[in-house]
Amino acid sequence: MMALGLFVFMLDTVPYQQLQQQLKWRLPSNSRVGQRPAYQFVGPDEETVTLSGVLMPEITGGDTALSLLRLMADQGLSWPLIEGTGNIYGFYVVESMDTTRCDFFSDGKARRIEFTITLKRADSSLIDTLGAITRGVLELIQ
């Protein structure tokens, strides 16, 4: 489905059911007398990707996979986000992770875990991302 660094989103780990991408651009305004404000494009703004879905630990991934994502977030590093189709989104940090556990077994383990993971883009451009990935591959080869 998708990879964040070395973490692969798939049925056995964290299969998301929804991917939402939010792109923004900065357009500050300048007030003018008797006219509408004038806007100036000053570049791209924040970019976020939100993955959400439901885990059924009997069938899909569960607490272990979510714990691994939490460890990645605790490091505060940016990771390449690459779709299974080969589409490179850029480098992202884990900004937040929300989980809701319900439908419990008798030992307290959840049968159903609803999750939302928010990723925030940390690189400046896709060209920088491709350069960083290329450098990383070249370092592995040498």
Side-chain angles (χ1 to χ4, degrees), residues 7-25:
F7 184 87
V8 179
F9 292 90
M10 60 184 178
L11 187 60
D12 294 336
T13 60
V14 181
Y16 56 88
Q17 283 83 41
Q18 185 175 8
L19 183 150
Q20 179 183 13
Q21 184 178 24
Q22 184 179 38
L23 307 170
K24 295 181 183 179
W25 292 267

Side-chain angles (χ1 to χ4, degrees), residues 5 26 31 37 40 71 76 92 96 116 121 124 134 136:
R26 292 177 292 149
S31 296
Q40 180 181 4
L71 287 172
Y92 283 76
S96 67
T116 301
R121 188 156 182 186
S124 56
T134 303

Side-chain angles (χ1 to χ4, degrees), residues 1-9 16 79-84:
M1 295 176 74
M2 184 173 284
L4 178 65
L6 296 177
F7 184 87
V8 179
F9 292 90
Y16 56 88
W79 306 90
L81 183 64
I82 304 172
E83 201 170 49

Side-chain angles (χ1 to χ4, degrees), residues 2 4 7-10 13-22 48-55 62 65-70 72-73 79 81 92-100 113-120:
M2 184 173 284
L4 178 65
F7 184 87
V8 179
F9 292 90
M10 60 184 178
T13 60
V14 181
Y16 56 88
Q17 283 83 41
Q18 185 175 8
L19 183 150
Q20 179 183 13
Q21 184 178 24
Q22 184 179 38
T48 59
V49 171
T50 303
L51 306 172
S52 59
V54 176
L55 300 178
L66 290 173
S67 294
L68 182 57
L69 277 170
R70 183 177 179 174
M72 291 174 67
W79 306 90
L81 183 64
Y92 283 76
V93 295
V94 179
E95 180 182 40
S96 67
M97 183 175 9
D98 299 321
T99 57
T100 302
I113 304 170
E114 298 172 8
F115 69 90
T116 301
I117 300 166
T118 304
L119 309 172
K120 187 165 285 204

Side-chain angles (χ1 to χ4, degrees), residues 75-106:
Q75 292 178 7
L77 300 174
S78 61
W79 306 90
L81 183 64
I82 304 172
E83 201 170 49
T85 62
N87 182 31
I88 300 171
Y89 284 81
F91 277 74
Y92 283 76
V93 295
V94 179
E95 180 182 40
S96 67
M97 183 175 9
D98 299 321
T99 57
T100 302
R101 289 168 168 70
C102 54
D103 301 332
F104 297 96
F105 290 105
S106 60

